[in-house]
Amino acid sequence: MSRPPTQLESAIRRLRKADPLRPVHVVVPSHLLGAWLAPRLFADTGHLGVHFLELHELAWKVAAPRVLPEGRGRVPENVDLALLLAEAREATAAAGTPDYLKDAAGMAGFAPAALRTLQALASAGVTPEALETHAPASADPERLRLLARMARGLQSRFESAGLLDRASLFRAAAEALPSVELGSVILVQPADVPPVAAMFLEAVKAHHPLAIVGEGPPPTVAPRHNSRLRTLRERLGQPAKDPEKESKGPAGTSLTRLQQGLFDRAGRGTGATGEGKGPAAL
């Protein structure tokens, strides 16, 4: 006895209605979810031409045919960390850098934390010039100036090596659209998407069919991200079902909301019919 189609299967069928062989790229928040979904999708018949990948991997697939002939490529694993370590030594040697920042730069966790900060700033469109402009009015002007120097120097090192950081990759991918190999795109349980990635998704929607499946992470875990996620869905033409309810979330402390979001199993789907909010609902 065949089972009813899941949300993801129904979305794929809709996107392939005019062309059964149209490639479909399913963007998942993690490889683990993609590995879980792949063997369960169309379990009765199997599937062909459906690819599971993360958002930055989709961006690379679009950008690669354009940037590789130009001699540019993605940043290999940990290379950005090595470049930042080298840049941090130069940036902290600048005149006027306080001793506490020099000491912090020598600590084991400084480079990974600084790299995550610089990546978040770049993804949000915050430039080194903006950091320097706001430094005088900040609580710690020298720290912002150090971040600005490191951001500028790291970007220069990327350009010299012909490497694209994550923010530059999304911009290059948006410029490379439309893509003859992309076909259709489905976002599965979209999480918090930085502005530069949202810009890429808007460009994808302008040239290719795009659908959203799943409501994303529970609002109890990170309620401050709900507004950006709702805005993304609206910009992509697929608003959340109940944005008002989604934005409020439950009352209580942040620890209470986190515990409830992580461990409360109520309402999570366990069947194969697409009911509930867990992976089975897809």
Side-chain angles (χ1 to χ4, degrees):
M1 181 176 177
S2 62
R3 58 175 174 76
T6 65
Q7 294 180 41
L8 181 55
E9 290 169 346
S10 297
I12 292 173
R13 287 194 174 107
R14 287 196 302 271
L15 293 173
R16 283 181 161 176
K17 187 174 182 180
D19 181 5
L21 299 180
R22 177 193 294 273
V24 177
H25 291 82
V26 180
V27 178
V28 289
S30 69
H31 287 133
L32 182 61
L33 180 58
W36 190 93
L37 286 171
R40 292 167 173 79
L41 187 67
F42 298 111
D44 298 334
T45 61
H47 56 83
L48 183 68
V50 179
H51 311 280
F52 293 85
L53 67 179
E54 294 185 20
L55 185 54
H56 67 92
E57 294 170 329
L58 179 71
W60 173 247
K61 188 165 188 175
V62 172
R66 179 171 179 173
V67 301
L68 284 176
E70 299 173 353
R72 296 186 292 166
R74 286 186 291 183
V75 179
E77 185 177 5
N78 293 329
V79 168
D80 49 0
L81 194 59
L83 292 176
L84 180 62
L85 282 168
E87 183 56 38
R89 285 193 294 269
E90 291 190 12
T92 54
T97 303
D99 290 338
Y100 76 92
L101 287 177
K102 295 180 180 179
D103 294 339
M107 295 181 179
F110 175 82
L115 181 60
R116 289 193 298 269
T117 299
L118 293 177
Q119 289 172 338
L121 290 171
S123 296
V126 179
T127 64
E129 292 74 21
L131 291 173
E132 291 175 339
T133 299
H134 289 87
S138 69
D140 192 343
E142 292 304 325
R143 183 170 61 176
L144 283 190
R145 293 188 179 103
L146 177 60
L147 281 173
R149 291 196 297 273
M150 289 194 300
R152 188 178 288 109
L154 183 61
Q155 187 59 41
S156 177
R157 291 174 186 269
F158 282 147
E159 293 174 358
S160 298
L163 298 175
L164 291 169
D165 66 334
R166 191 66 59 83
S168 300
L169 173 59
F170 282 123
R171 295 188 185 97
E175 294 173 358
L177 289 166
S179 170
V180 295
E181 298 180 357
L182 193 56
S184 300
V185 175
I186 299 177
L187 298 182
V188 171
Q189 292 184 340
D192 185 49
V193 178
V196 67
M199 175 270 297
F200 166 64
L201 287 174
E202 284 191 275
V204 169
K205 180 174 174 55
H207 297 284
H208 299 270
L210 185 146
I212 299 178
V213 171
E215 292 299 318
T220 55
V221 175
R224 66 185 182 276
H225 292 162
N226 294 344
S227 177
R228 181 155 37 170
L229 182 55
R230 289 200 313 274
T231 300
L232 171 66
R233 294 184 67 116
E234 291 168 358
R235 287 164 65 180
L236 296 179
Q238 299 186 43
K241 295 179 181 178
D242 192 356
E244 184 66 22
K245 181 178 179 181
E246 182 186 36
S247 64
K248 289 182 178 179
T253 65
S254 58
L255 177 60
T256 303
R257 293 193 298 269
L258 179 61
Q259 289 173 333
Q260 184 176 352
L262 289 177
F263 303 116
D264 183 7
R265 296 181 180 277
R268 296 190 181 184
T270 56
T273 61
E275 298 176 354
K277 297 180 180 179
L282 302 173

